[in-house]
Amino acid sequence: MSEVKTLLLSECKPGDRVLITSLSLEGTMRRRLLDLGFVRGSEVAVVQKSPLGDPMAFRVSDTTIALRKEESSKIHVKKLGGA
């Protein structure tokens, strides 16, 4: 059996498509991200990275959302198959 490698959302590059596997956040920030659609099993597209690398823009549930590295580094994802 091959184990699926997970990575942090903050490690992804523009153009990547990933699936959320877990969130390592608690409290208000966790609730906010869950309300925005960052739930386990959701597909996320990395839209763009700012020139200095923080924040990054992500598309989830037909909405584009910017997250700081502090937040995106606590979202665990796995890459979806691609070209």
Side-chain angles (χ1 to χ4, degrees), residues 8-19:
L8 302 175
L9 188 56
S10 60
E11 299 171 334
C12 297
K13 296 177 178 28
D16 286 350
R17 287 182 34 241
V18 297
L19 204 62

Side-chain angles (χ1 to χ4, degrees), residues 3-75:
E3 181 123 354
V4 176
K5 183 182 177 235
T6 62
L7 60 151
L8 302 175
L9 188 56
S10 60
E11 299 171 334
C12 297
K13 296 177 178 28
D16 286 350
R17 287 182 34 241
V18 297
L19 204 62
I20 296 176
T21 57
S22 66
L23 279 78
S24 298
L25 290 157
E26 294 185 17
T28 306
M29 183 54 64
R30 180 181 179 84
R31 178 82 265 156
R32 178 177 162 251
L33 290 177
L34 290 172
D35 289 345
L36 290 170
F38 286 87
V39 296
R40 185 174 183 204
S42 290
E43 184 177 324
V44 177
V46 183
V47 178
Q48 85 183 89
K49 202 177 229 187
S50 71
L52 298 177
D54 194 26
M56 292 175 66
F58 305 96
R59 180 170 295 277
V60 62
S61 303
D62 295 324
T63 303
T64 302
I65 299 162
L67 294 178
R68 293 174 292 172
K69 188 172 186 174
E70 175 185 340
E71 299 154 341
S72 62
S73 66
K74 296 180 179 171
I75 300 172

